[in-house]
C-alpha cells in the first residue's frame, strides 16, 4: 500500500490541481458509484454517470453513498437524454462508411454506454472516460477506436500496466491490444 501510494501521489496531485470531467460508462454499477464517491471526496474529478436516474438513485441510497445526482455528478440517461440526437448523428457520421444507417446508429447509441461515453468524449462533453468494467475488453476498445480514434501522431493503440516490485516498478505495454507487436511497436 505504501509503495502504491508513493507511486500514485503525483497522479493524484495532478488530478486535484485540475479535476477533469470524467464520464463513467457503467454508472449503475455499485463499484463505480463507490469509486465516484471517492473521486468526489478526494477532489480528483468532476464525474458524469451514464445510467438511468431512478436506478442510480436507488443504488446510491442502498450503498449509503452521499453523492447527489445533478449536484455532485452529472447524469446521461441512455433512455432519455437531450443529447441523444446529437450523439446518434455523430455516431452515424463516423460509421456510415461501414454501412451504418441512421436507425442502426440510434439503436447502437441506445444500447451501448461505452458508445455514449466515447461520443461524449469526442464531442467535448467529457475530458476522459472510464469503461470496461462489464463486458469484453475488445468490444470496448473497438467502440473507442471507431468513435474517438487515435490522437494525432499516434501510430496504434496499446495497453499499459504497472508492475510494482520490491526494487523497481516496471511498465509493461501492449499486454492486451496487439497480439504480436514488433520491437518498434513496443
Amino acid at each position: 500500500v505504501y509503495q502504491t501510494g508513493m507511486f500514485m501521489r503525483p497522479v493524484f496531485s495532478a488530478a486535484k490541481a485540475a479535476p477533469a470531467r470524467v464520464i463513467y460508462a457503467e454508472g449503475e454499477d455499485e463499484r463505480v458509484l463507490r469509486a465516484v464517491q471517492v473521486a468526489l471526496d478526494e477532489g480528483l474529478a468532476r464525474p458524469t454517470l451514464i445510467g438511468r436516474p431512478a436506478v442510480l438513485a436507488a443504488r446510491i441510497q442502498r450503498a449509503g453513498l452521499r453523492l447527489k445526482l445533478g449536484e455532485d455528478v452529472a447524469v446521461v440517461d441512455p433512455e432519455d437524454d437531450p443529447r441523444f440526437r446529437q450523439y446518434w448523428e455523430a455516431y452515424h457520421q463516423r460509421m456510415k462508411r461501414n454501412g451504418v444507417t441512421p436507425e442502426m446508429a440510434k439503436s447502437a447509441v441506445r444500447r451501448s454506454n461505452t458508445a455514449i461515453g466515447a461520443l461524449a468524449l469526442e464531442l467535448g462533453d467529457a475530458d476522459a472516460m472510464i469503461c470496461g468494467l462489464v463486458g469484453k475488453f475488445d468490444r470496448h476498445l473497438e467502440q473507442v477506436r471507431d468513435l474517438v480514434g487515435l490522437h494525432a501522431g499516434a501510430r496504434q493503440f496499446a495497453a499499459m500496466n504497472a508492475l510494482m516490485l520490491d526494487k523497481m516498478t516496471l511498465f509493461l505495454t501492449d499486454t492486451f491490444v496487439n497480439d504480436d507487436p514488433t520491437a518498434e511497436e513496443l
Side-chain angles (χ1 to χ4, degrees):
V1 171
Y2 174 76
Q3 191 176 12
T4 304
M6 293 299 290
F7 176 76
M8 292 301 295
R9 183 174 292 159
V11 175
F12 291 147
S13 293
K16 287 179 183 180
R21 297 171 301 155
V22 178
I23 192 160
Y24 295 79
E26 290 94 2
E28 293 180 2
D29 190 289
E30 189 174 318
R31 296 168 292 179
V32 170
L33 294 171
R34 290 184 185 285
V36 167
Q37 184 68 65
V38 171
L40 284 169
D41 290 347
E42 298 291 326
L44 300 173
R46 295 179 305 173
T48 297
L49 297 170
I50 300 175
R52 298 162 293 175
V55 173
L56 291 168
R59 292 188 179 163
I60 289 166
Q61 183 178 14
R62 185 175 67 211
L65 301 173
R66 300 176 310 284
L67 55 105
K68 293 180 180 58
L69 300 178
E71 290 178 39
D72 300 324
V73 297
V75 175
V76 174
D77 181 353
E79 294 179 343
D80 182 29
D81 193 272
R83 294 163 286 209
F84 176 68
R85 181 181 185 93
Q86 177 189 14
Y87 285 8
W88 77 254
E89 285 177 348
Y91 186 98
H92 177 249
Q93 197 61 29
R94 284 164 181 72
M95 301 301 292
K96 66 184 177 182
R97 295 289 236 166
N98 295 341
V100 173
T101 66
E103 290 306 314
M104 292 167 70
K106 289 176 188 176
S107 177
V109 171
R110 283 256 189 252
R111 74 175 186 270
S112 172
N113 288 3
T114 298
I116 293 169
L119 290 163
L121 187 62
E122 182 64 12
L123 295 173
D125 293 338
D127 303 313
M129 176 177 65
I130 297 176
C131 69
L133 188 62
V134 177
K136 290 185 161 197
F137 176 87
D138 293 350
R139 182 67 182 126
H140 294 280
L141 180 62
E142 178 183 298
Q143 290 186 333
V144 170
R145 182 198 65 224
D146 290 346
L147 299 173
V148 178
L150 290 170
H151 189 275
R155 289 176 278 172
Q156 68 204 35
F157 285 97
M160 182 176 69
N161 293 297
L163 181 60
M164 300 180 75
L165 304 172
D166 289 338
K167 296 184 180 189
M168 71 181 91
T169 300
L170 296 175
F171 292 92
L172 305 174
T173 188
D174 237 353
T175 55
F176 294 111
V177 179
N178 299 297
D179 292 331
D180 190 17
T182 66
E184 180 181 280
E185 288 172 333
L186 284 174

